[in-house]
Amino acid sequence: MIGIKDLYCVLTAVVPLYVTMFLAYGSVKWWNIFTPEQCAGINRFVAIFAVPLLSFEFVSRINPYKMDLLFLAADGVSKVLILLALLCWANFTKKGSLDWSITLFSLSTLPNTLVMGIPLLKSMYGDDKEYLMIQVVVLQCIIWYTLLLFLFEYRETRTAVMSTLKESSTISHLEKEEENSKNCCSEDEAINFIATTPSSQQTAQNVNKIAPDQSQRFKPVEAVEGEGKEFHLFIWRCGCFISTDGTSTCEQQSVHANQRERSSTGKAVASEMQEDVENASMPSSFSSSMLLKILRKVWFKLVRNPNSYSSLLGLSWALVSCRWDIQKPQIMENSVTILSSAGLGMAMFSLGLFMALQPRIIACGNKLALYGMVARFITGPALMAIASIAVGLKGSTFKLSIVQAALPQGIVPFVFAREYNLHPDVLSTAVIFGMIVSLPITIIYYILLGI
């Protein structure tokens, strides 16, 4: 059972993080110490230096030959289930979104095990369970943070490629239209012209504005009589032939007037036409070659990102160190520790800077904040319980797996979200309020599972 001493241990781990966050908040909001550009530079330092060195330092200290594979399998199965469900939602439903799939994956699967989990769950289930929490943190650093980085890079590269394709398609479309305008009668062409006409005379004038009477090419057409109506004029222009005097004339023409009631405003029609043009210029799907091109760019970006290989280097050193009992040289140890020890503090400092740059503390709004809390404290533990039952976890390990899934939102996913500018407001709200409400929520889970 949790006592006063255990609660104090949890507070000693959590309160310093809030002190760091509020110092950063005040340095921007009240004291004007940092500019927005300087805040972005601090977050860049955290993402490129502090977090990778923290991951390396933490992973390199474990013993990979003494891992609880059943517990790690339950944790992995729950995350895979959520990821597959979100990817199916993003690809096979109309309201699906890759952006929100990445954010929801971070919210429901990546808790703050390092800061909150280890002291809290150690007090709940004993000292022998501390190493299980360390294994979860190591697995997050090696697999899930790397996968999260891949999703961020894929989303960024895919967006850039789609934007490039859209621009090139628009340019080629404009060039084609310009070419057709120079040689208007070289091919068959249909013009869809909307004319709002109270009289047939104004209709003829509007038609002449679109198709002026040059070389007998078009003739005024008498429209259907109607007061306050809107007409769609489909003007068919067929191929031309050269007359004896050398001028180009049209062989035949026809105009079809389709009458309909005028809409309340013309903006709806204009926006619909603009949307059709944009959708026509956007490719509906990627070919295999385009997908390979995107994945190649993603691979090159991941190789240059220290977060993607810092955990692998740490695991490699742990395997060698535990196998042959080799210790890191003291110079190497101190060089890594001097920055890695500042990783969590700098991450919370970056969070405070981001809060200060927002117009309000709940940057994402109450509705999205509520959805984030549901994903963090209900969806994650529920799927973790299903995965634990599926792999056969029992006893205190089963209870521990559910409670650790109900821990507050991790800090590192927020650092990545701000670096790639993907819903950082949602992640910041989840981190801030998750740490406030996590203690009573985890205690409630602990009591319910103990009944």
Side-chain angles (χ1 to χ4, degrees):
M1 187 65 184
I2 300 177
I4 300 298
K5 184 178 179 180
D6 298 325
L7 183 61
Y8 179 76
C9 291
V10 175
L11 293 178
T12 55
V14 175
V15 170
L17 297 176
Y18 277 97
V19 171
T20 305
M21 182 181 68
F22 284 118
L23 282 176
Y25 182 85
S27 65
V28 174
K29 202 74 172 179
W30 303 318
W31 308 318
N32 298 322
I33 297 176
F34 299 108
T35 64
E37 292 78 13
Q38 291 170 338
C39 294
I42 292 174
N43 188 77
R44 185 74 173 167
F45 165 78
V46 174
I48 299 300
F49 289 103
V51 171
L53 289 173
L54 176 66
S55 300
F56 174 82
E57 177 67 17
F58 203 83
V59 174
S60 64
R61 294 180 180 273
I62 68 162
N63 187 349
Y65 302 102
K66 296 181 180 179
M67 307 282 278
D68 191 330
L69 299 180
L70 199 62
F71 178 76
L72 296 180
D75 182 71
V77 168
S78 66
K79 289 177 171 59
V80 169
L81 287 176
I82 293 176
L83 182 62
L84 290 177
L86 290 174
L87 291 179
C88 290
W89 172 71
N91 290 295
F92 301 111
T93 61
K94 293 182 179 179
K95 295 184 178 180
S97 168
L98 178 62
D99 293 4
W100 279 109
S101 297
I102 297 173
T103 302
L104 290 174
F105 177 74
S106 300
L107 286 171
S108 56
T109 62
L110 300 175
N112 191 352
T113 309
L114 180 60
V115 178
M116 290 284 291
I118 292 178
L120 181 61
L121 298 180
K122 179 182 176 181
S123 62
M124 287 180 175
Y125 295 102
D127 295 343
D128 58 328
K129 302 301 181 183
E130 179 182 1
Y131 196 66
L132 290 178
M133 294 296 96
I134 296 176
Q135 294 177 28
V136 171
V137 175
V138 170
L139 203 66
Q140 280 184 359
C141 295
I142 295 174
I143 297 178
W144 304 116
Y145 287 163
T146 305
L147 177 62
L148 188 63
L149 274 175
F150 172 81
L151 293 175
F152 277 122
E153 292 287 359
Y154 175 80
R155 172 246 178 195
E156 189 177 59
T157 306
R158 180 175 178 268
T159 303
V161 170
M162 291 179 67
S163 178
T164 303
L165 288 176
K166 182 178 177 180
E167 289 177 0
S168 61
S169 178
T170 304
I171 292 173
S172 62
H173 178 74
L174 292 175
E175 290 177 351
K176 185 177 179 181
E177 288 294 329
E178 184 178 356
E179 183 180 354
N180 289 338
S181 64
K182 292 179 180 179
N183 191 10
C184 62
C185 293
S186 59
E187 296 179 357
D188 292 350
E189 182 180 3
I191 298 177
N192 179 6
F193 174 67
I194 301 175
T196 304
T197 56
S199 65
S200 59
Q201 181 180 1
Q202 185 178 351
T203 302
Q205 293 175 356
N206 287 334
V207 171
N208 285 332
K209 290 179 182 178
I210 298 297
D213 188 9
Q214 299 175 359
S215 304
Q216 303 294 327
R217 191 171 298 150
F218 294 98
K219 295 181 179 179
V221 180
E222 184 172 341
V224 181
E225 293 185 0
E227 190 81 23
K229 305 292 183 180
E230 189 176 86
F231 299 89
H232 270 237
L233 303 183
F234 298 93
I235 304 175
W236 177 259
R237 300 192 307 187
C238 66
C240 299
F241 64 93
I242 306 300
S243 62
T244 55
D245 58 354
T247 59
S248 176
T249 59
C250 191
E251 185 177 0
Q252 61 179 5
Q253 63 177 354
S254 64
V255 178
H256 177 66
N258 189 9
Q259 180 180 358
R260 70 174 185 179
E261 294 292 332
R262 179 191 296 177
S263 60
S264 59
T265 61
K267 295 182 180 179
V269 177
S271 62
E272 184 179 353
M273 293 174 64
Q274 179 67 21
E275 183 179 356
D276 292 340
V277 171
E278 292 180 356
N279 293 335
S281 62
M282 181 67 68
S284 59
S285 62
F286 287 109
S287 63
S288 58
S289 61
M290 185 61 65
L291 182 61
L292 290 176
K293 182 180 179 181
I294 292 176
L295 292 178
R296 192 180 300 112
K297 288 185 177 181
V298 170
W299 169 254
F300 287 147
K301 288 185 177 181
L302 286 177
V303 169
R304 293 194 299 267
N305 194 325
N307 288 283
S308 59
Y309 53 79
S310 60
S311 300
L312 296 179
L313 291 176
L315 179 62
S316 302
W317 178 262
L319 290 170
V320 173
S321 176
C322 296
R323 181 74 174 179
W324 290 287
D325 195 19
I326 300 175
Q327 301 298 323
K328 283 183 287 192
Q330 195 63 35
I331 294 177
M332 176 182 175
E333 178 77 15
N334 294 341
S335 299
V336 173
T337 306
I338 195 172
L339 283 176
S340 65
S341 58
L344 285 176
M346 289 301 299
M348 290 300 294
F349 196 84
S350 176
L351 176 60
L353 295 177
F354 178 80
M355 287 174 51
L357 294 174
Q358 306 305 311
R360 53 182 181 173
I361 295 179
I362 306 180
C364 64
N366 297 330
K367 186 176 181 181
L368 288 179
L370 178 61
Y371 289 160
M373 294 299 104
V374 170
R376 174 68 269 153
F377 295 111
I378 297 179
T379 306
L383 288 174
M384 187 65 190
I386 295 173
S388 300
I389 294 173
V391 301
L393 282 183
K394 298 178 181 179
S396 60
T397 307
F398 171 75
K399 299 175 183 178
L400 176 69
S401 66
I402 298 176
V403 176
Q404 69 89 22
L407 292 171
Q409 178 61 38
I411 303 172
V412 176
F414 161 75
V415 175
F416 292 161
R418 188 179 179 190
E419 177 70 16
Y420 291 91
N421 195 27
L422 180 62
H423 305 141
D425 51 350
V426 178
L427 271 297
S428 66
T429 304
V431 172
I432 296 167
F433 290 95
M435 285 190 176
I436 295 174
V437 304
S438 64
L439 186 58
I441 288 177
T442 50
I443 292 176
I444 290 173
Y445 272 106
Y446 175 76
I447 294 173
L448 292 177
L449 292 170
I451 296 175

